[in-house]
Amino acid sequence: MRRRVWCGVGWAVLVTALTLIVYGSRAWAGPSRTGPSRSGPSAAAPAAGAASESAGARAVAGAGAGADVGVPAIGRVWPVGVRPSVLRGWEPPATPYGPGHRGVDLAAAPGSPVRAVAAGRVAFAGRVAGRGVVTVELTGTGLRTTYEPVRPSVEKGTEVGAGDVVGVVAETGAHCGASACVHWGLLRGGTYLNPLSLLPPWLLGRGPSRLLPVLTG
């Protein structure tokens, strides 16, 4: 009789212990960890932030990769300002007459000085299709840069150095529509090239800083 009683008590204790172990483990485990997948909104947020990077920043950041072979980095200043915003970057056309953007658009207020990025000689200063244009042949390179819309302050044949003012940003006829800007182009013969190729890394903001001359006028 005593053996049966002890057996019954033993089974009761065993069942109670198992019950405590099972429910206790669930309590310690806490709520389900199943949540929204990483492909949901929280994961998409960084991607959306990266996608919001401006086209101008991408143009400058990718200038090294998109630099044209054979273009010397002889630029010593930006055409306008110190480090202007690039409103639209270089978009080479697939064919000579195909769509694209044959230069870069730099933000600039009307009346701002426009400077030669490197030494050369003015090959043209006048109006083309109703817009003021200045073209500078860069010394010893076979390259020429163009700036528009500009009110020229130089004449054809004028020798200019890097940083010399060649005109000011025109108030009307802006290439960028509602935004004032300067369209900066680079050519070798009849072939358009990426004008950012003329700028060394320290001017593009990807290299060690250097002291720049104080520009006036």
Side-chain angles (χ1 to χ4, degrees):
M1 184 67 182
R2 289 181 178 178
R3 182 178 296 178
R4 291 179 181 178
V5 170
W6 282 108
C7 288
V9 171
W11 277 109
V13 171
L14 180 60
V15 170
T16 302
L18 290 173
T19 302
L20 290 174
I21 291 172
V22 171
Y23 284 95
S25 63
R26 290 182 179 178
W28 280 103
S32 171
R33 295 184 182 274
T34 303
S37 68
R38 290 297 295 169
S39 61
S42 59
S52 66
E53 183 183 12
S54 70
R58 289 195 300 270
V60 174
D68 288 295
V69 176
V71 175
I74 57 174
R76 292 296 174 264
V77 294
W78 286 84
V80 289
V82 176
R83 189 167 291 164
S85 298
V86 179
L87 302 179
R88 185 178 178 186
W90 163 249
E91 300 168 12
T95 61
Y97 300 102
H101 191 234
R102 296 164 172 82
V104 295
D105 295 339
L106 307 176
S112 301
V114 178
R115 305 178 187 278
V117 299
R121 182 181 63 84
V122 177
F124 179 83
R127 300 186 71 79
V128 176
R131 287 197 294 255
V133 178
V134 173
T135 301
V136 177
E137 295 177 341
L138 304 182
T139 305
T141 64
L143 301 168
R144 63 187 188 277
T145 56
T146 60
Y147 313 94
E148 61 174 289
V150 174
R151 290 207 320 270
S153 59
V154 292
E155 298 178 348
K156 181 179 179 179
T158 304
E159 298 288 337
V160 295
D164 286 354
V165 175
V166 297
V168 297
V169 180
E171 291 84 356
T172 58
H175 174 80
C176 299
S179 301
C181 76
V182 166
H183 178 78
W184 176 29
L186 175 67
L187 298 96
R188 177 184 286 120
T191 302
Y192 285 89
L193 304 170
N194 183 358
L196 292 177
S197 303
L198 288 170
L199 301 183
W202 58 269
L203 263 180
L204 290 169
R206 300 198 317 273
S209 299
R210 290 182 55 179
L211 296 177
L212 298 177
V214 176
L215 303 177
T216 59

